[in-house]
Amino acid sequence: MMETREWALVTYTILSQMAVGSFLVLGAVHFLAQRKAGEAEADRLSDRALLAIGPVLVLGVLASLLHLGNPANAYRAIANIGSSWLSREIFFTMAFTGVGFVFAIMQWRKLATPAIRNAVAVLAALIGVVAVYSMSHIYMLANQPTWNSAATPLSFFCTTLLLGSLAIGVALSANYTYLKSRKSAALDVQANLLRDALRWIAVAAIVVLGFELVVISASLIDFGSGDAAASLVNIAEDYNTLFILRISLVFLGAGVFAFFLYRTASVLGQERVLFALVYGAFALVLIAEVMGRYLFYASHIKIGF
Amino acid sequence: MAKQLAFHFNSSLCNGCKACVIACKSKNALPVDVNYRRVYEYGGGGWVADPMAPAFLTPNNIFVYSLSVACMHCENPACVDVCPAKAIEKRDDGIVVVDSDKCIGCHYCSWACPYGAPQFDPEEGTMRKCDMCADVVDEGGTPYCVSACPMRALDFGELEELRAKYGTVAEVAPLPPADITNPAFVLTPHRHSQPVGSKVGRVYDDEV
Ligand code: SF4
Ligand code: SF4
């Protein structure tokens, strides 16, 4: 069984990937909304969701400190950026947090021009992608055959995009509920933008799900052949229930729920059903990805001792 | 060629008594679950039908041998490469040491090392590891494990000299392949040694 330390890593990697994914997806949503309904309505759609990403990142970083035996020295963690992927990951996560924070302030207070803000957002997004890439490379060690494959970065990016898109679906829905509760100006434009966004999010979730299932199957076949075969035995013997549950939940959330989300978002009205589907899909995929990450840590095998 | 201190271990002499483990443990005042040096007993074998009386099974191909394993002070130390805090350093004489004042306790070195050498000290919150008794070696002495072995199965010295004396083998099952980190290690195999990567046996006492 795993200890607090590994749970800290599960929490940290899931939350930071979700934050990066949310930032990417929100950027795409804002871009499309801007072209359709103009700057002001796009901001109204996405600004609150943007601010929600901050706390997710902070929570993740706090969790990451829990896995250190000697957090007092944590400031040293980027000392070896020249050769350690862990240093690189920490550096880029910090840079993503920093640039993302600057962007959030600019966007919230409408500082500089939209074009400059967009440029800052694109920079933050790129740094976020490099951070997830670096995070996956931490595990690609010559003596860790289960981790040392392309499946590690690919599945990290699947988690990033799956959780990112559904989390943004949830945030946009919550924002709409909030706008409605304030009975502010007419909400027709917002309602349309929201339904559009949710349709795209549903499509994205289904596409990424398909890709994730391919990556999982390919890595199982790969485990079966090389040094990593023992890991497959591990999964088959000790974790088969968890593994099957993980696959079923992600399929239910990003497949079945997303399919109905797309259908429901295509017609007017039915907000309650729509929101239930978004929240449900997010919850299912979150649980599935946490299980997947748990398996990643729990079932890996090492060459040597 | 740069100086590289190394261990030699003679598996055909080792009787698995673990005197090296205990000497190391007391020299370094190690806590209960931390063992810089460990002795792994690796064995296997099966049963075959007795040709004279097929209903009876007799033991077949039974083998067992021990390996005393500590930090290999590798020429290509994965631990040094991955440590984010630059807390692990390779000295000019090849000894790889952890500076616990710099360690952040992230465990990354223990994921990357194929020899299980860096171990976490829960009391300190930092990694600890065999330093080849650097303080003793600096004074011209011998590491405690080497002195303690009643079978004279351990030796230490300059890697090239040890290779000239004992050969160049550095891997048998269940050790990892030597090309991962190029260990500063010379092994005299046991006559029953299985090739590296072999799955015919298993480690019998992996709690130490
Ligand atoms: S045995 Fe492990 S800890 Fe020792 S030098 Fe090699 S990689 Fe580093
Ligand atoms: S546990 Fe300490 S010595 Fe090991 S990689 Fe982390 S900081 Fe470096």
Side-chain angles (χ1 to χ4, degrees), chain A residues 104-186:
Chain A
I105 302 265
M106 289 172 79
Q107 178 68 15
W108 191 244
R109 321 249 32 184
K110 305 289 172 255
L111 304 176
T113 63
I116 294 180
R117 294 205 295 270
N118 279 349
V120 177
V122 168
L123 179 67
L126 288 176
I127 298 174
V129 169
V130 177
V132 174
Y133 180 80
S134 306
M135 194 182 299
S136 68
H137 266 263
I138 290 174
Y139 301 92
M140 299 177 73
L141 300 163
N143 63 326
Q144 298 279 2
T146 336
W147 288 344
N148 192 13
S149 90
T152 303
L154 291 177
S155 63
F156 277 23
F157 277 111
C158 286
T159 305
T160 303
L161 292 175
L162 267 186
L163 284 177
S165 49
L166 292 170
I168 288 306
V170 165
L172 295 180
S173 305
N175 178 55
Y176 182 79
T177 310
Y178 172 78
L179 290 177
K180 213 171 162 188
S181 75
R182 296 213 318 182
K183 301 196 180 59
S184 45

Side-chain angles (χ1 to χ4, degrees), chain B residues 70-199:
Chain B
C71 176
M72 300 296 188
H73 302 282
C74 306
E75 296 193 275
N76 188 8
C79 57
V80 175
D81 291 347
V82 304
C83 174
K86 284 204 173 157
I88 313 184
E89 206 189 356
K90 193 163 175 68
R91 308 197 322 175
D92 290 342
D93 59 5
I95 299 182
V96 175
V97 289
V98 183
D99 182 347
S100 53
D101 290 340
K102 294 182 181 166
C103 172
I104 63 177
C106 68
H107 293 71
Y108 196 17
C109 50
S110 72
W111 292 358
C113 168
Y115 296 95
Q119 297 189 13
F120 188 66
D121 183 341
E123 283 160 33
E124 304 291 327
T126 54
M127 280 290 163
R128 301 181 66 180
K129 177 184 89 54
C130 158
D131 64 355
M132 221 178 217
C133 295
D135 53 341
V136 178
V137 170
D138 287 344
E139 304 282 304
T142 306
Y144 274 41
C145 52
V146 175
S147 312
C149 176
M151 304 304 290
R152 294 289 175 258
L154 281 166
D155 195 359
F156 106 112
E158 186 59 42
L159 179 62
E160 287 312 316
E161 284 166 23
L162 292 177
R163 281 187 176 149
K165 207 156 140 193
Y166 302 109
T168 56
V169 179
E171 53 177 36
V172 293
L175 291 171
D179 61 6
I180 300 179
T181 58
N182 294 330
F185 180 58
V186 176
L187 175 73
T188 302
H190 188 271
R191 65 195 163 98
H192 285 156
S193 283
Q194 303 298 315
V196 66
S198 162
K199 303 270 186 283

Side-chain angles (χ1 to χ4, degrees), chain A residues 8-9 51 75 96 112 117 152 165 178 195 201 210 216 219 252 270 274-275:
Chain A
L9 289 175
L51 295 190
Y75 72 93
F96 171 69
R117 294 205 295 270
T152 303
S165 49
Y178 172 78
R195 284 191 328 187
I201 282 172
I216 293 172
S219 62
L252 197 63
Q270 291 189 306
L274 194 61
F275 291 172

Side-chain angles (χ1 to χ4, degrees), chain A residues 129-295:
Chain A
V129 169
V130 177
V132 174
Y133 180 80
S134 306
M135 194 182 299
S136 68
H137 266 263
I138 290 174
Y139 301 92
M140 299 177 73
L141 300 163
N143 63 326
Q144 298 279 2
T146 336
W147 288 344
N148 192 13
S149 90
T152 303
L154 291 177
S155 63
F156 277 23
F157 277 111
C158 286
T159 305
T160 303
L161 292 175
L162 267 186
L163 284 177
S165 49
L166 292 170
I168 288 306
V170 165
L172 295 180
S173 305
N175 178 55
Y176 182 79
T177 310
Y178 172 78
L179 290 177
K180 213 171 162 188
S181 75
R182 296 213 318 182
K183 301 196 180 59
S184 45
L187 282 176
D188 295 0
V189 182
Q190 284 295 312
N192 276 327
L193 288 178
L194 175 67
R195 284 191 328 187
D196 265 4
L198 291 181
R199 281 223 312 270
W200 281 110
I201 282 172
V203 171
I206 293 169
V207 170
V208 180
L209 168 73
F211 193 69
E212 182 170 63
L213 293 178
V214 171
V215 171
I216 293 172
S217 328
S219 62
L220 284 181
I221 294 167
D222 190 36
F223 287 1
S225 54
D227 270 326
S231 170
L232 187 62
V233 175
N234 248 348
I235 294 179
E237 282 177 357
D238 300 338
Y239 300 106
N240 54 12
T241 321
L242 194 60
F243 181 72
I244 291 166
L245 207 58
R246 176 252 188 291
I247 301 286
S248 315
L249 290 183
V250 76
F251 184 74
L252 197 63
V256 181
F257 272 53
F259 173 72
F260 286 107
L261 179 63
Y262 182 84
R263 295 262 307 253
T264 313
S266 305
V267 291
L268 279 169
Q270 291 189 306
E271 268 164 30
R272 299 236 327 249
V273 185
L274 194 61
F275 291 172
L277 285 169
V278 183
Y279 293 131
F282 174 67
L284 288 168
V285 171
L286 180 62
I287 297 169
E289 293 305 302
V290 167
M291 286 176 165
R293 196 54 50 80
Y294 174 93
L295 283 168

